[in-house]
Amino acid sequence: MDCLFCKIVNGEIPSKKIYEDENCYAFEDINPVAPVHVLIVPKKHINGVDTIEASDGEILKSIFAAIKIIAKDLKLNNGYRVISNVGEDGGQSVRHLHFHLIGGKKLAWTF
Ligand code: 5GP
Ligand code: ZN
């Protein structure tokens, strides 16, 4: 499958790794919007939040455990934001499930 994040997970496209376990992989966003901008993706291809299934429970457990570990490692003690864009209206440009972990400054909330 021609998927950018599958290629990053399998190493075909290089990335700056932050964390990984058997189910998920985390790397620096190429175009950071804040001092910390990490993407956490499942190793298995899932299109987005809209196609998560009950059988993906272990994967989501890994992803949210990873987010907590990364936030602690990167000392985001004062808070951070987790975002998953879905589909065209949500602004999802890569159709492989991913969670943005953004922080390192006081974040604005505007649309
Ligand atoms: P989305 O817009 O789908 O929510 O998020 C996709 C994210 O992937 C964007 O923040 C974009 O900067 C990032 N991105 C796109 N291509 C690459 C790439 O080749 N490498 C890395 N590390 N990030 C990428
Ligand atoms: Zn993929």
Coordinates of all heavy atoms in Angstrom, one line a residue, residues 3 6 45 96, ligand 2:
C3 N 1.4 4.2 1.4 CA 1.0 5.0 2.6 C 2.3 5.6 3.2 O 3.2 4.8 3.6 CB 0.2 4.2 3.6 SG 0.0 5.0 5.2
C6 N 3.0 4.2 6.8 CA 3.5 2.8 6.7 C 5.0 2.8 6.3 O 5.7 2.0 6.9 CB 2.6 2.0 5.7 SG 1.0 1.5 6.4
H45 N -1.7 -0.5 9.7 CA -2.4 0.5 9.0 C -3.8 0.6 9.4 O -4.6 -0.4 9.3 CB -2.3 0.4 7.5 CG -3.0 1.5 6.8 ND1 -2.3 2.7 6.4 CD2 -4.3 1.7 6.4 CE1 -3.2 3.5 5.9 NE2 -4.4 2.9 5.9
H96 N -3.4 7.7 7.5 CA -3.0 6.6 8.4 C -3.1 7.2 9.8 O -2.5 8.2 10.1 CB -1.5 6.2 8.1 CG -0.9 5.2 9.0 ND1 -0.3 4.0 8.5 CD2 -0.8 5.1 10.3 CE1 0.2 3.3 9.5 NE2 -0.1 3.9 10.6
Ligands
ZN2 ZN -0.4 3.3 6.5

